[in-house]
Amino acid sequence: MADNVASLFRGTAAHSPSMAALARESDGVGPIDFCIPCNPYFPTPGMFDELAGRLREIITYYPSSADTITAELCALLQLPPSCVAMGNGSTELITWIDHLLVRESLAIPVPTFGRWTDQPMETGKRVDMFPLMESNGFALDPAQYIEFIRARGTRVAVICNPNNPDGGFLSRRAVVNFMDQLQDLDLIVIDESFLEFADAENDPSVVEEAVLRPNVIVLRSLGKNFGLHGIRFGYLVANPALAGKIRSMLPKWNLNSFAETVVFMLKEHGAEYMESLHLVRRDRLDMARQLSALPGLTVYPSQGNFLFVRLPVGAEGTVVRDRLLTEHRILVRECGNKIGSSSRFLRLVVRPQTDVRRLVSGMEQVLYGSRRGAAVPELGTGTSYSSGTAAVDRLISETNGVGMPLAAQAAAMPSLPPAQTWPGPAPAQAPTGMPGLVPAPAPAAAMMPPQQQPAARMPAPAPPQQQPMPAVAQMPNVAQMPNVAQMPGVAQMQPAPQMQPAAQMMPQAPPMSAVAQMAQMAQAAQAQAQRQQAPIPAVAQAPSPAAQAQARSMQPPPQAPAMPAMAPAPAAGLGQTGMPGLRNRGLTAAQVRGRTEPEPTPAPQPTGWPAAGAMYNQVG
């Protein structure tokens, strides 16, 4: 396969060769598939056995009409058949939507599913592409998107929720508000092809809204969530007039016998289907944690059954893709031919944990060689095939009219620096100062006169032999020091043998006794506290500059408590990703899901097939 990788990718009209083509090049055994986003847990082994047992019947005879198959699906989903049209895959429905309902222009955020950009351009429509910014984690701002649509005068608007390839998600409320703001458009399409895998909220679908609105279509896929891309079936939900217009144009037998067999099997396997979604959501969290531990790799929050990742600096996506395929038999989706993306990005499908461990191991070897924490090498070897990015840029400039010059914007698009992280808990500051002593807060340090600042950076000479310094409790004039008697630990300070005088530690300061320095600091602190009408916690906790200097040149007293153990600092470049709040601690479920609200409480396990409007609140 190694000699034919470049030709395999050049010779396909899709972004990647088919699994059948790859299997033919490798003695009939295909690679581990992290490219095609389908459900690895459904159908169940028992369902596959049933399909295999009926294979002769399935492939010999004609299927029932599309109306019969649609009626069965609607009975499961509790949708009116008059509001549903089934197609031979969602791409067939996108084609008919373009031919019948898009008259002049269509707006779509990019990067996204390629048929939403390519199909209208193939029929001469203007496609207004709204760029999702990498600096914002590819998140869609509906308000800015609406402004863009109004400025361009677009008549059809599309939102993919979750979006492909980044998995970005909008709440149901945000989508409904979007439809409210654009109710004067010819058409609004909400592509929910991956929504079954979302768990950011209990009921994210807007199918019920589509039935009631005159200009809204919700597009759904069946192959992705059922794990059956090869069958090619999907459906749309709209008001009866819109759905009927699409349905009337579809061929009589546009659905095959495999699709019919699966649809009629589903009513017996609702619980297994919901469990499969639960397993995919679990694996998404685990996979994001493992990938985010790779140095320099950025993992974006996703609500789909895939993760969008940015490769480290110096890594080129086509080289990584080809080496993973030839050296590790792993197929990944390199996103250089997606408008609004580049070859530095991969889309990785969520798979079981055993497969993910193999993926992570392969990426470690391809990206870093044998040294996991090593700097990312310049991957200069391998195929020079560029995924057609330049051709895509030309296509934009030639077909987008007087719209936004996205090719130029993409080149100037800001990117996150490798060490930048999204908002999250700040790392704890390392404690400083003498063990067992609480460091003084900033206000106390600010009140110290400049001549009393400790010379922390000056190397101290060897301490001369001298008599031990008397304890503070024996020093004269202590009674005249305001509030010194209240300072914790002063009376317990023990004599320090062979201690270096403060004057030798700070030659730039005028001669001053330790007691005088402490008194001056205490007086300044007391005056500051009186002005603020607040207690002086800093004075009660801060040792004098002389005491700090003396502490650096002697061993800690025996009775001083030990400093708490500090976590070692992370190695440079490790764990620095674009995920929110991540710094070598892995990801929380909320961060992977791109949400801020608390985790939902899992509902009881279903016993039957879920309805379309309630299929998301069964398993968390």
Side-chain angles (χ1 to χ4, degrees), residues 593-611:
R593 295 164 184 165
R595 57 184 288 181
T596 56
E597 63 268 22
E599 295 293 310
T601 303
Q605 185 71 16
T607 57
W609 188 263

Side-chain angles (χ1 to χ4, degrees), residues 182-375:
L182 297 175
Q183 57 184 325
D184 60 309
L185 295 189
D186 295 342
L187 183 66
I188 299 172
V189 181
I190 309 299
D191 188 340
E192 295 183 348
S193 292
F194 296 97
L195 196 62
E196 279 85 352
F197 301 104
D199 57 1
E201 61 182 341
N202 289 334
D203 187 16
S205 179
V206 293
V207 289
E208 296 178 356
E209 291 284 339
V211 172
L212 302 175
R213 293 173 182 258
N215 68 333
V216 173
I217 288 178
V218 172
L219 188 66
R220 312 297 302 276
S221 174
L222 295 174
K224 300 175 180 63
N225 48 295
F226 291 159
L228 296 169
H229 277 282
I231 291 183
R232 309 303 303 141
F233 57 158
Y235 67 100
L236 62 78
V237 182
N239 71 72
L242 278 178
K245 188 172 185 178
I246 298 291
R247 197 166 52 244
S248 66
M249 299 301 296
L250 295 173
K252 189 68 173 178
W253 281 285
N254 69 317
L255 302 178
N256 57 65
S257 295
F258 270 109
E260 178 180 12
T261 304
V262 171
V263 168
F264 276 83
M265 288 173 60
L266 292 177
K267 58 186 175 185
E268 304 296 334
H269 299 280
E272 294 96 325
Y273 172 66
M274 294 307 299
E275 176 63 17
S276 74
L277 300 181
H278 171 71
L279 294 174
V280 171
R281 295 161 184 163
R282 178 205 65 185
D283 290 346
R284 179 175 61 205
L285 180 62
D286 176 77
M287 182 174 169
R289 283 173 174 158
Q290 293 194 50
L291 290 172
S292 65
L294 295 179
L297 194 76
T298 301
V299 184
Y300 294 93
S302 174
Q303 281 284 284
N305 62 330
F306 47 81
L307 296 173
F308 197 48
V309 302
R310 184 182 64 192
L311 294 171
V313 175
E316 206 278 331
T318 57
V319 177
V320 174
R321 176 201 66 196
D322 293 351
R323 288 185 58 186
L324 284 173
L325 183 58
T326 58
E327 299 171 16
H328 303 277
R329 299 197 56 76
I330 294 173
L331 178 65
V332 300
R333 168 66 159 105
E334 178 267 325
C335 295
N337 66 341
K338 275 190 175 291
I339 298 175
S341 179
S342 74
S343 61
R344 195 180 169 189
F345 293 89
L346 303 179
R347 186 194 65 193
L348 302 173
V349 173
V350 174
R351 290 194 60 84
Q353 297 175 5
T354 302
D355 293 344
V356 172
R357 286 193 292 270
R358 182 170 169 179
L359 170 69
V360 172
S361 175
M363 292 189 69
E364 283 181 334
Q365 296 180 45
V366 170
L367 293 174
Y368 320 110
S370 59
R371 297 174 298 157
R372 185 180 184 281

Side-chain angles (χ1 to χ4, degrees), residues 65-140:
S65 67
D67 291 342
T68 301
I69 304 173
T70 301
E72 177 66 16
L73 179 67
C74 290
L76 290 174
L77 302 179
Q78 299 180 21
L79 291 171
S82 62
C83 297
V84 174
M86 288 192 69
N88 188 29
S90 59
T91 52
E92 181 183 59
L93 297 174
I94 292 174
T95 301
W96 284 110
I97 289 172
D98 171 55
H99 279 292
L100 299 176
L101 303 175
V102 180
R103 294 183 298 174
E104 57 183 50
S105 56
L106 179 144
I108 180 71
V110 292
T112 193
F113 179 47
R115 292 313 300 166
W116 281 119
T117 56
D118 301 348
Q119 172 62 42
M121 287 192 290
E122 291 169 2
T123 55
K125 316 292 173 49
R126 190 187 79 226
V127 179
D128 299 328
M129 291 172 256
F130 178 75
L132 300 175
M133 306 302 292
E134 178 186 348
S135 58
N136 196 33
F138 296 98
L140 173 62

Side-chain angles (χ1 to χ4, degrees), residues 480-559:
Q480 287 80 19
M481 295 172 59
N483 294 333
V484 172
Q486 302 176 7
M487 297 175 65
V490 173
Q492 290 82 12
M493 292 179 62
Q494 300 297 325
Q498 301 181 0
M499 184 176 295
Q500 181 181 2
Q504 296 183 17
M505 293 290 295
M506 299 181 295
Q508 77 278 9
M512 182 178 294
S513 68
V515 173
Q517 293 177 11
M518 295 171 66
Q520 182 175 354
M521 184 180 68
Q523 291 172 356
Q526 186 178 34
Q528 177 72 13
Q530 290 175 354
R531 288 192 299 269
Q532 298 179 353
Q533 297 183 354
I536 321 174
V539 177
Q541 298 176 7
S544 68
Q548 291 182 359
Q550 293 164 356
R552 286 190 294 269
S553 62
M554 71 177 189
Q555 296 294 327
Q559 68 274 18

